[in-house]
Amino acid sequence: MTNKKAMPKDLTVYQDLGIKTDSHPFKSCLNAGLLNDVDEFFVKEVQEYWKRNYGKSVDPVLNIAFMNLTGIKDNRITPRQVLRKKILPLFNDYDMSIGYKDKNLYDVMINPTRSPKTVLKNINGNYFDTNNNSVDTASANKLLLEHNSDLIIKPSRTNNGKRIVKLKVEDENIYLDGEDVTIHHLEEMYAKNFIVQEAIEQHSSMAVPHPSSVNTLRLYTFRWKQGIKYLPSFARFGGNNHINDNTGTGGLCLGITDTGKFLNVAVDDDMRTYTHHPTTGYCFADLNPIPNFDEVKQFVKDCHKNILHLDVISWDIAISSDGKPIFIEANFSGPLWLGQFITQQPPFGDFTEEVLQHVSDKLKTIQPKLMKKDRLKKQKKEMKETRGQVDELKAQNKELKEMLKKKDKEL
């Protein structure tokens, strides 16, 4: 692991450059030691670039951090807030994302040509088989017992990597962590809205850094000028012997080139860098390229064609033992800003200037509709400010009444 010690500095050094020192990206970059070298001339170039292409200056903290990490001065590195609150809401209709992100509806809404075989669905407490036929609880239990193999069960409406569990079916018994369970136990764990699928046998190139997890590619696509474009992407490898590859459970991300070769340095959630996997010790430089990578890229482009309301999508794709892509899930609001440090490229690559100018023009007439989470956060902030104003008015009113009361006594 490489982790430079952050240099303590008066925060005004950063604030004078337009950096918001209370932001999550700033704190992450500072703690990772990626703000030690600050080139003010480069910051000036960054601001000139953004004023020219976007119409206003921006927080340059990620540009500085990117320079410290890679040694590359890239004006196109895009601030988190610009991505999350300006660019993505203009391209993605987040009110429509709820239906698209339900894993139980992937076969209906996206219909990928290759995905893990679904054994059982639970939607709002009702069971369905692989062909979406309604079944009762006894039949659902029978469907599970018919698969004498490893199964994966996970919530169908979340994408945070949590509560993904491996089930083992053997001799007409279901085992979870070695314990004999029934479908009723699963109902107690998940209540409703979950999916059970056959486990994937992944390609050796993807398995070798951390064999305990199904390791996936996080591939980005972008609908732009009547076509679907492929954007800089990366691979995700699990950690701490967990079965999923989510960074929130100790996983790492490793950039991949446009030809499917892996970069040599992985990044974790705290922006720390690794040349070797911290759990297995595997050297990332020894990884073989992703097989059939052109086919993999075309696969996600084809999947995107069926999602019409969202133009920027990240796809979790596994690679099967035969080297073919397998659809796992679609994401519409992942940390695209952090991906820049993993791929060592700006998110929109060669399209950056065109995209920024397009967004700048749109923002003159359109107020982007934020993700639901950000809308609620904004509403809470506005309510807090309103309560503060009301409290201030009450205090002024009380003070005024006391002054009038005192005046009456004097009279």
Side-chain angles (χ1 to χ4, degrees), residues 357-384:
Q357 290 164 12
H358 171 81
V359 170
S360 178
D361 290 340
K362 287 288 186 181
L363 289 176
K364 293 173 184 176
T365 57
I366 297 174
Q367 182 64 29
K369 194 171 185 179
L370 303 178
M371 304 175 200
K372 185 177 180 180
K373 181 179 178 180
D374 289 333
R375 273 182 268 165
L376 291 173
K377 187 176 180 180
K378 183 179 179 182
Q379 289 171 3
K380 287 181 180 179
K381 182 180 179 181
E382 291 172 347
M383 288 175 65
K384 185 177 180 180

Side-chain angles (χ1 to χ4, degrees), residues 25 37 46 66-67 78 81 113-114 121 133 143 155 165 209 222 242 244 292-293 335 340 364 379 398 406:
D37 183 10
V46 170
F66 188 86
M67 179 192 71
T78 307
Q81 291 297 82
T113 55
R114 291 172 61 92
K121 298 178 178 182
N133 297 309
L143 286 172
V165 177
F222 175 41
H242 289 296
N244 66 70
N292 307 311
F293 195 58
Q340 299 173 106
K364 293 173 184 176
Q379 289 171 3
K398 183 179 179 181
K406 183 178 180 181

Side-chain angles (χ1 to χ4, degrees), residues 53-310:
N53 291 288
Y54 183 63
K56 58 180 69 175
S57 59
V58 295
D59 185 335
V61 66
L62 296 186
N63 303 80
I64 297 170
F66 188 86
M67 179 192 71
N68 277 266
L69 176 68
T70 66
I72 301 171
K73 297 178 181 180
D74 197 328
N75 298 327
R76 301 172 298 170
I77 298 303
T78 307
R80 176 178 182 263
Q81 291 297 82
V82 173
L83 279 167
R84 186 176 179 90
K85 296 187 176 180
K86 302 298 181 183
I87 296 177
L88 291 180
L90 277 176
F91 286 111
N92 287 352
D93 183 349
Y94 284 112
D95 285 342
M96 296 298 296
S97 67
I98 296 174
Y100 284 116
K101 75 178 185 180
D102 190 332
K103 297 176 180 62
N104 276 322
L105 297 181
Y106 281 159
D107 57 339
V108 177
M109 304 293 287
I110 302 175
N111 192 26
T113 55
R114 291 172 61 92
S115 60
K117 183 178 179 180
T118 296
V119 175
L120 186 66
K121 298 178 178 182
N122 183 296
I123 301 176
N124 200 30
N126 300 311
Y127 285 109
F128 299 86
D129 66 13
T130 187
N131 296 314
N132 295 327
N133 297 309
S134 181
V135 296
D136 58 23
T137 303
S139 298
N141 189 63
K142 185 178 179 181
L143 286 172
L144 295 180
L145 295 175
E146 287 175 353
H147 287 75
N148 198 31
S149 60
D150 290 345
L151 303 174
I152 298 293
I153 181 172
K154 54 188 172 182
S156 60
R157 295 187 181 181
T158 62
N159 57 3
N160 55 16
K162 296 179 181 178
R163 297 202 297 155
I164 300 176
V165 177
K166 181 179 285 188
L167 304 175
K168 190 173 186 64
V169 181
E170 193 172 62
D171 299 327
E172 296 192 354
N173 289 300
I174 305 170
Y175 297 95
L176 193 162
D177 293 332
E179 296 290 329
D180 190 357
V181 298
T182 68
I183 196 167
H184 300 295
H185 290 107
L186 301 179
E187 290 173 343
E188 290 176 5
M189 291 176 59
Y190 293 91
K192 58 183 180 180
N193 297 315
F194 58 87
I195 186 170
V196 182
Q197 296 174 310
E198 291 185 354
I200 296 169
E201 184 180 348
Q202 64 183 332
H203 195 274
S204 58
S205 294
M206 293 296 295
V208 64
H210 189 260
S212 301
S213 54
V214 174
N215 305 309
T216 61
L217 305 177
R218 172 61 63 89
L219 305 178
Y220 288 87
T221 54
F222 175 41
R223 180 178 285 106
W224 179 247
K225 294 187 174 180
Q226 294 76 54
I228 306 294
K229 313 296 183 183
Y230 170 80
L231 298 179
S233 303
F234 53 88
R236 308 197 312 172
F237 298 99
N240 302 320
N241 297 313
H242 289 296
I243 68 168
N244 66 70
D245 61 359
N246 196 281
T247 55
T249 56
L252 302 173
C253 298
L254 183 66
I256 50 181
T257 68
D258 288 345
T259 60
K261 293 181 179 179
F262 291 99
L263 301 187
N264 295 336
V265 179
V267 180
D268 70 9
D269 240 2
D270 295 317
M271 301 181 74
R272 293 173 297 196
T273 56
Y274 303 79
T275 57
H276 293 70
H277 196 288
T279 303
T280 64
Y282 185 85
C283 178
F284 292 118
D286 293 337
L287 274 169
N288 291 321
I290 300 163
N292 307 311
F293 195 58
D294 285 339
E295 180 182 344
V296 174
K297 289 191 289 185
Q298 188 59 49
F299 178 78
V300 290
K301 289 181 182 180
D302 291 340
C303 287
H304 196 157
K305 291 176 182 178
N306 291 329
I307 298 183
L308 307 181
H309 300 87
L310 300 123

